[in-house]
Amino acid sequence: MSFKVFTNKDSSIFKKKVEEIYNEIDASDLYPPFPKTSLIELSNACNHACVFCTNPRMKRKKGFLNIEIYEKFVRDAIALGLRNVGLYSTGEPFLMKNLNDYIRIAKDAGAGYIYITTNGALATPEKLISAIDAGLNSIKFSVNAGTRETYKLTHGADNFDKVMENIRFVSNYRKEKNIDLTLMASCVLTKYTDDEEEIVKDQLLPLVDDLAFYGVFAQFGQSIDQLDMLRSTMTDSYPELGKASACSMVWNRVHLSCEGYLSMCCGDYENALVYADAKVSSLEDAWHNHVITEMRKRHQAQELDGTLCKNCLYGTKDRVLPITDIAHKDVQTELKSDKAIGVQSVNERISKLALLKRTKE
């Protein structure tokens, strides 16, 4: 996924973290060492409904990760070499009423770097201070428009002013208290917000260490219809079938879902890529089990028919089936994120964004 980063540091922390995740793999090794980085889905619920995101159309039941399952995962994973703990995935971490307990557990277990991505609407000063005190090392705010009008249509929530207020607060708080806290922001650009890049930059870059821009993408193959409607000048093109590189996440990142499942993908909205149940399998055994080993072989050969991975890597709209019966007992039922109310809401707001842009022109 292409991106560009503006930084106020000597070097970009954001860029370094992305390179650690996506570049450092040996795809010939079917039994790689346990990852240093994890993304943990504390919840798959979200208070926003961005037009490019799969979450508004997700059919999977909304839930929250049991803290005992989480604690066992974190302690076992750190014993195996885990160092970086991301407390977000498909949902909004500040929906967790006891978010600080999850942060503290990771800190006490020995995690070296604990980080979150948030839309920032629920990240009030009180919650930010308590999360920092609990041990949070880094916060990235996702702000996907530069004006209140386009933000409301893009995010599905009229929280632009509140989000900016919260970001300004934590930026000032960090300076006043001389806190070692990394602050970042990101913006997914669509064709309706391409022209707001400079506005976003002027507003956010003075407040954070790094500001990253992405072109809208297909949410790991689950929002291809939305991509077709929103494609921006920064959106990547897809490779020729069979020519993609193996996905690094199958080698160097471990993902825990809010149900306690291990998935191969951080954006697995329908649990299509679950390879083990962390509640009953040891992490060491799961990381080298036959399911994920076979998927590594399939990534090596780019023989991915029937999996979410193919639609992600190639932008195809092929039928997706679950790779195991752990999360879905019927492995022959096609998985789609097409909840009617979400589809309707997203399409209506995309139409309004198009009308707004035509009006401005």
Side-chain angles (χ1 to χ4, degrees):
M1 181 173 60
S2 296
F3 61 89
K4 55 184 174 183
V5 181
F6 299 92
T7 184
N8 288 311
K9 297 288 187 178
D10 292 335
S11 60
S12 167
I13 300 170
F14 177 87
K15 186 176 181 181
K16 179 184 177 183
K17 293 298 179 184
V18 171
E19 288 174 348
E20 286 176 356
I21 294 169
Y22 290 103
N23 293 341
E24 296 181 4
I25 68 163
D26 176 6
S28 67
D29 185 0
L30 294 177
Y31 302 98
F34 195 81
K36 294 180 180 179
T37 298
S38 66
L39 281 185
I40 298 170
E41 184 185 65
L42 297 183
S43 176
N44 62 340
C46 191
N47 56 317
H48 283 192
C50 294
V51 291
F52 52 79
C53 185
T54 307
N55 190 284
R57 296 174 287 104
M58 177 178 59
K59 287 185 173 179
R60 181 162 56 115
K61 183 180 178 181
K62 303 292 176 67
F64 299 88
L65 178 61
N66 177 279
I67 198 165
E68 293 177 357
I69 295 170
Y70 164 81
E71 182 168 12
K72 183 177 187 307
F73 169 86
V74 167
R75 294 191 180 280
D76 290 351
I78 287 175
L80 292 171
L82 184 73
R83 292 296 175 265
N84 307 316
V85 175
L87 297 178
Y88 68 96
S89 183
T90 66
E92 168 54 48
F94 277 100
L95 281 171
M96 302 293 291
K97 294 181 179 179
N98 56 338
L99 174 61
N100 299 336
D101 293 335
Y102 290 78
I103 296 171
R104 265 189 220 95
I105 286 170
K107 191 73 172 179
D108 292 346
Y113 188 72
I114 306 166
Y115 59 108
I116 60 172
T117 289
T118 174
N119 58 51
L122 300 176
T124 62
E126 296 77 16
K127 290 181 179 179
L128 287 164
I129 291 172
S130 61
I132 294 165
D133 289 345
L136 191 64
N137 300 110
S138 175
I139 307 171
K140 180 166 73 68
F141 292 92
S142 180
V143 184
N144 301 300
T147 69
R148 181 181 176 187
E149 194 172 20
T150 50
Y151 182 97
K152 182 178 179 180
L153 292 174
T154 300
H155 280 252
D158 189 9
N159 293 143
F160 181 77
D161 293 339
K162 182 63 176 176
V163 168
M164 291 304 303
E165 179 183 330
N166 291 339
I167 298 173
R168 282 191 290 269
F169 167 80
V170 74
S171 181
N172 291 331
Y173 181 79
R174 178 179 67 161
K175 292 176 185 176
E176 291 171 2
K177 302 295 183 180
N178 194 27
I179 296 170
D180 184 14
L181 173 72
T182 298
L183 288 181
M184 294 182 280
S186 65
C187 179
V188 176
L189 293 173
T190 71
K191 68 181 181 181
Y192 301 115
T193 53
D194 265 340
D195 59 353
E196 294 185 357
E197 180 179 334
E198 286 301 316
I199 299 173
V200 173
K201 184 179 174 183
D202 289 345
Q203 291 172 326
L204 287 175
L205 189 56
L207 304 175
V208 298
D209 300 314
D210 285 356
L211 171 61
F213 290 93
Y214 318 92
V216 64
F217 62 106
Q219 287 269 298
F220 309 98
Q222 296 156 119
S223 293
I224 295 171
D225 289 339
Q226 286 67 34
L227 174 65
D228 291 340
M229 292 185 279
L230 295 167
R231 187 180 302 273
S232 78
T233 56
M234 282 188 65
T235 298
D236 292 328
S237 58
Y238 285 103
E240 180 184 344
L241 282 175
K243 301 297 184 181
S245 299
C247 177
S248 61
M249 287 194 288
V250 189
W251 271 262
N252 69 358
R253 201 159 71 183
V254 60
H255 307 106
L256 181 69
S257 80
C258 64
E259 299 92 350
Y261 301 141
L262 298 176
S263 173
M264 298 178 198
C265 180
C266 63
D268 187 5
Y269 284 90
E270 304 295 351
N271 282 335
L273 294 170
V274 169
Y275 61 93
D277 186 343
K279 299 185 294 295
V280 297
S281 299
S282 78
L283 293 184
E284 188 171 20
D285 290 344
W287 186 243
H288 291 152
N289 74 12
H290 72 283
V291 180
I292 195 168
T293 301
E294 182 60 27
M295 281 299 292
R296 290 182 185 126
K297 292 178 182 178
R298 294 178 71 176
H299 270 264
Q300 287 175 342
Q302 288 298 293
E303 295 173 352
L304 298 168
D305 287 350
T307 70
L308 182 61
C309 299
K310 182 180 179 182
N311 289 350
C312 173
L313 293 176
Y314 295 106
T316 51
K317 298 182 182 181
D318 290 3
R319 185 169 181 248
V320 172
L321 300 174
I323 61 170
T324 67
D325 63 358
I326 296 170
H328 304 276
K329 297 307 177 185
D330 182 2
V331 296
Q332 295 304 313
T333 297
E334 183 177 7
L335 299 177
K336 289 184 177 181
S337 294
D338 58 359
K339 186 169 65 176
I341 189 171
V343 172
Q344 180 181 353
S345 171
V346 165
N347 290 347
E348 286 177 354
R349 284 183 283 120
I350 291 175
S351 295
K352 290 179 181 179
L353 281 165
L355 177 60
L356 179 62
K357 185 157 189 175
R358 287 196 300 270
T359 303
K360 289 180 178 179
E361 292 172 347

